[in-house]
Amino acid sequence: MSLAQYNRTSSWTVLRVAEDGEKEEVRLSNAVEEAREQGLKVVVVAANAKPMVVRVMDFGKLLKDMQAKKKMQAKKAKATDTKELRLGFNIGQHDLEVKLKQGREFLEKGHKLKLSTRLKGADFYKGQEKAMQKLSEIAAKLADLAVVEREPFMHDRSANMLL
């Protein structure tokens, strides 16, 4: 708060909440002076209330507590990575089963799964529909573990799908 703003607001009456929970109606200038004497800060809690509610507190401690809480929430948050399985256009049956096994392991660990098939040369012009059907078939085989987030789509020269 600038000095000009402080001079305009110093005559305001505010509801001060002390660290011990005591509530008292005082002038803003008195609340600020008392907080300075105690080595604390005046923090506005409810600016729109009549009278405005302020709290006298150790602001550094508040910031430290908020950072610690944020850090704990970040630790508890489960990160979901997106794993990608790249399939060849003419993939063999056994190779497909191996890729499906890998995909199942990723899904069981809670990861999202992106399936992609790179189309090269003539396959790009002739095999787009076949690639999309193959991705849909794979999604049907993994339906017990995953939900299709994004239907098969073409991006550049590859057919992709997100489970």
Side-chain angles (χ1 to χ4, degrees):
M1 178 182 288
S2 71
L3 187 58
Q5 289 175 323
Y6 178 74
N7 287 334
R8 274 186 289 180
T9 60
S10 62
S11 63
W12 287 359
T13 303
V14 295
L15 181 63
R16 179 189 66 194
V17 181
E19 277 192 308
D20 59 357
E22 178 189 335
K23 296 178 184 177
E24 182 181 13
E25 262 192 51
V26 295
R27 292 178 57 170
L28 181 59
S29 57
N30 294 347
V32 171
E33 283 180 33
E34 290 173 17
R36 281 188 188 147
E37 289 172 5
Q38 296 173 7
L40 302 172
K41 300 279 183 185
V42 175
V43 179
V44 176
V45 177
N48 295 333
K50 301 275 189 221
M52 182 169 52
V53 180
V54 296
R55 174 169 248 152
V56 177
M57 62 185 352
D58 184 358
F59 194 66
K61 182 180 176 186
L62 175 69
L63 287 177
K64 219 183 262 187
D65 290 345
M66 287 171 54
Q67 287 173 348
K69 189 181 282 188
K70 192 174 183 180
K71 192 174 182 179
M72 286 302 291
Q73 286 176 345
K75 279 184 180 180
K76 289 180 182 178
K78 185 179 178 184
T80 58
D81 294 332
T82 301
K83 301 289 186 174
E84 182 176 5
L85 286 183
R86 291 184 178 179
L87 309 167
F89 181 70
N90 293 318
I91 190 169
Q93 185 61 33
H94 181 265
D95 295 335
L96 181 61
E97 289 171 10
V98 170
K99 291 286 187 178
L100 283 173
K101 184 178 176 185
Q102 287 177 337
R104 284 188 180 282
E105 289 174 8
F106 292 146
L107 291 170
E108 286 169 355
K109 290 180 182 176
H111 299 291
K112 291 183 181 181
L113 187 63
K114 178 182 177 184
L115 302 171
S116 64
T117 301
R118 184 91 172 141
L119 301 173
K120 300 176 185 175
D123 292 338
F124 177 70
Y125 300 105
K126 296 178 183 175
Q128 289 183 16
E129 286 299 316
K130 184 179 175 187
M132 302 280 220
Q133 287 174 349
K134 187 171 282 197
L135 291 178
S136 296
E137 289 171 14
I138 293 169
K141 291 179 182 178
L142 297 174
D144 57 327
L145 290 174
V147 176
V148 176
E149 264 188 44
R150 187 151 182 208
E151 294 293 329
F153 64 97
M154 289 298 297
H155 182 260
D156 292 335
R157 289 187 156 264
S158 61
N160 299 306
M161 176 181 223
L162 191 62
L163 300 175

